[in-house]
């Protein structure tokens, strides 16, 4: 990153990366947890069965979107200009998708359908008991992704970019004028003075 970047811009950049990272952590942390438990009352005085439901049953795409957002975090760091803005738009879409999946997954009808699919026993479904902390955590992660994505989309082009000092095209080329002094300088830099396409070798 360039050291000439103004401090407020650098702080804004780091804040957006932190929001994106927190959103990813929230989604991935909530995914394996039990989001709801549904009681199924069986006939013939049999003991009721409790079916536990996680994000895998209620919002299966939330985990996948979280992993995709993790890749987008690396892309924000690696890109610049229009490409970075495109990544920001993608992060917004990931956040909207994750939030929608969470909201749809905890509807009573969705809970009942997931409970029926998760067990082979037949009986009367009771009222689901939702462990709200996990859907809320996933929803908060989705909101953080949206905020980070909007910041990247609107302000990303002003943020620092990765240094290009290691790029191949930025390596100094040996000057080949045919003068003895220039030939010695080429040899000293590690380049072959007889090869027009040779790059100086690193020491």
């Amino acid at each position: 990153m360039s050291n000439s970047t103004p401090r407020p811009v650098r702080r804004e950049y780091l804040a957006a990366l932190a929001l994106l990272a927190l959103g990813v952590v929230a989604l991935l942390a909530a995914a394996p947890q039990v989001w709801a438990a549904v009681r199924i009352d069986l006939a013939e005085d049999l003991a009721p069965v409790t079916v536990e439901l996680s994000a895998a049953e209620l919002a299966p795409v939330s985990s996948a979107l979280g992993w995709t957002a993790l890749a987008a975090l690396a892309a924000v760091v690696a890109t610049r200009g229009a490409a970075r803005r495109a990544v920001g738009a993608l992060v917004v879409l990931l956040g909207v998708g994750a939030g929608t999946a969470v909201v749809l997954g905890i509807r009573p009808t969705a809970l009942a359908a997931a409970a029926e699919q998760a067990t082979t026993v037949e009986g009367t479904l009771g009222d689901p008991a939702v462990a709200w902390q996990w859907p809320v955590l996933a929803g908060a992660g989705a909101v953080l992704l949206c905020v980070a994505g909007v910041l990247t989309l609107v302000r990303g082009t002003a943020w620092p970019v990765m240094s290009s000092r290691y790029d191949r095209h930025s390596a100094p080329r040996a000057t080949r004028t045919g003068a003895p002094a220039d030939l010695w300088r080429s040899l000293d830099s590690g380049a072959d003075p007889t090869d027009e396409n040779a790059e100086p070798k690193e020491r």
Side-chain angles (χ1 to χ4, degrees):
M1 297 181 188
S2 173
N3 292 328
S4 62
T5 304
R7 188 169 297 177
V9 175
R10 183 180 295 274
R11 284 199 296 262
E12 181 184 81
Y13 170 62
L14 295 177
L17 293 181
L19 290 174
L20 180 50
L22 288 174
V24 170
V25 170
L27 282 175
L28 297 182
Q33 308 301 328
V34 176
W35 285 24
V38 180
R39 173 174 169 168
I40 302 178
D41 294 320
L42 305 179
E44 300 178 358
D45 297 329
L46 296 175
V49 175
T50 300
V51 179
E52 295 182 339
L53 303 172
S54 68
E57 290 82 24
L58 300 176
V61 300
S62 63
S63 178
L65 294 178
W67 287 112
T68 305
L70 180 61
L73 174 61
V76 171
V77 176
T79 55
R80 67 181 72 191
R84 179 175 281 173
R85 294 184 64 185
V87 174
L90 173 62
V91 172
V92 173
L93 293 178
L94 294 175
V96 171
T100 302
V102 171
V103 171
L104 295 179
I106 59 176
R107 294 179 305 162
T109 54
L111 292 170
E116 291 179 350
Q117 293 179 359
T119 182
T120 57
V121 300
E122 296 183 0
T124 303
L125 295 178
D127 294 332
V130 180
W132 287 104
Q133 65 269 27
W134 304 120
V136 168
L137 179 62
V143 171
L144 290 175
L145 292 188
C146 289
V147 174
V150 170
L151 281 174
T152 305
L153 180 61
V154 175
R155 295 284 299 157
T157 54
W159 293 345
V161 297
M162 293 183 66
S163 175
S164 60
R165 61 182 175 177
Y166 298 113
D167 291 349
R168 181 177 178 85
H169 67 271
S170 65
R173 298 182 65 89
T175 303
R176 300 178 179 86
T177 62
D182 291 331
L183 294 178
W184 279 114
R185 279 195 291 270
S186 295
L187 289 172
D188 186 60
S189 68
D192 181 357
T194 64
D195 185 356
E196 293 296 328
N197 297 318
E199 297 285 351
K201 297 180 180 178
E202 296 183 358
R203 289 179 175 272

